Amino acid sequence: MDTFALIVTIGVALGFTYTNGFHDSANAIATSVSTRALTPRAALAMAAVMNLLGAFLGSGVAKTVSEGLIETPKGSSGMAILFAALVGAITWNLITWYFGLPSSSSHALFGGMVGAALAGGTKVYWDGVLEKVVVPMFASPVVGLLAGYLVMTAILWIFRRANPHKAKRGFRIAQTVSAAGMALGHGLQDAQKTMGIVVMALVIAGDQSYGDPIPVWVKLACAVMLSLGTYAGGWRIMRTLGRKIIELDPPQGFAAETTGASIMFATAYIFKVPVSTTHVITSAIMGVGATKRVKAVRWGVAKNIVLGWFITMPAAALVAAAGYGAVYLVFL
């Protein structure tokens, strides 16, 4: 039963990674597709490859997820807590994908972990949740907004005397690099989040100890599932990010992607905190758009997106808690 529970939990974790891929593929490529720098299929293929590579670039975020948010639960109830956390996250991902709302898969996962842990009587490290999840959740969009504005302002000043047609063509080419950077950062951040969950499952099963290196098969499985999900594409969300917030041109797309990629690499390597690629790129797009004129950004759409951010963790937590209750009644 323990082995079966481990296999099921790992399978569901990989399923979450797949939904994360198609839910968040828009983060990396929506701007490049909307500015016609890349065709949709070429953009998705590039993003899938970069997600795969990004998954092997670090492990700091995985350590934070596996050790810094909840106490490692024990036995069969522990595996049920992880299972319920993942079910909560997947459910919220599918709901927001259906409505085309670019919510955070990361915060759906963290909300699921907290909700399932509370339902299962496992200790939540509230200091860790505050420091590693809540503070970055509020700080990263603010940084993205300001940095996007400043980067775009710098581009406008540097290229103020350039031929607009030539500049746009150059930035359209440059966007292939900035979009690749976004996809690499997405792989670095989001594949590690699932790696942290799989490591927790292996520790609960007694097959791994904290401090051991993450097994290569775990990295590979998480990376491949994220890439497959990315290639499947999230067209509903792509339309929201690429068109509904603001009509982007190539310089704006380049500025937004460069800003987003820089923030994701900095948070992964310097602070080792899991940030939401959705929050980062959406706020960067808003900041870039505001340089045109404040009214150029469709703030009504932006408001709905931000509201989605606020309810993601509580909603996923409630679904996860209910999921744990169901598993407890049936299996425990």
Side-chain angles (χ1 to χ4, degrees), residues 196-216:
I197 294 293
V198 175
V199 166
M200 284 187 81
L202 292 171
V203 170
I204 291 170
D207 296 330
Q208 174 107 357
S209 298
Y210 288 132
D212 293 346
I214 299 173
V216 174

Side-chain angles (χ1 to χ4, degrees), residues 10 13-21 24 27 47-66 86 105-106 109-110 182-200 214-230 264 268 273-277:
I10 291 175
L14 294 177
F16 165 76
T17 308
Y18 183 85
T19 67
N20 188 345
D24 290 0
N27 296 338
V49 171
M50 288 298 166
N51 271 331
L52 189 67
L53 294 175
F56 290 89
L57 293 182
S59 59
V61 171
K63 182 178 173 66
T64 296
V65 172
S66 62
L86 291 161
S105 296
S106 307
L109 177 61
F110 305 145
M182 270 297 300
L184 199 65
H186 181 237
L188 171 66
Q189 276 276 350
D190 284 38
Q192 283 192 59
K193 292 159 190 171
T194 307
M195 289 178 206
I197 294 293
V198 175
V199 166
M200 284 187 81
I214 299 173
V216 174
W217 70 264
V218 173
K219 290 186 177 183
L220 189 61
C222 293
V224 168
M225 290 304 290
L226 187 68
S227 293
L228 289 174
T230 296
M264 285 191 291
V273 296
V275 297
S276 166
T277 50

Side-chain angles (χ1 to χ4, degrees), residues 258-329:
T258 301
T259 300
S262 301
I263 292 171
M264 285 191 291
F265 279 103
T267 50
Y269 283 122
I270 299 172
F271 303 106
K272 296 180 173 55
V273 296
V275 297
S276 166
T277 50
T278 308
H279 291 189
V280 168
I281 190 62
T282 306
S283 57
I285 289 172
M286 293 177 195
V288 164
T291 60
K292 206 173 191 177
R293 63 183 189 280
V294 174
K295 289 184 179 178
V297 179
R298 297 184 181 105
W299 295 106
V301 175
K303 182 188 74 174
N304 291 338
I305 291 170
V306 173
L307 285 174
W309 294 353
F310 278 104
I311 63 174
T312 290
M313 281 188 69
L318 288 172
V319 175
Y324 177 80
V327 171
Y328 183 84
L329 288 174

Side-chain angles (χ1 to χ4, degrees), residues 91-118:
T91 302
W92 188 248
N93 270 357
L94 293 175
I95 291 170
T96 50
W97 165 81
Y98 180 80
F99 288 105
L101 187 68
S103 69
S104 168
S105 296
S106 307
H107 292 106
L109 177 61
F110 305 145
M113 289 174 69
V114 170
L118 291 173

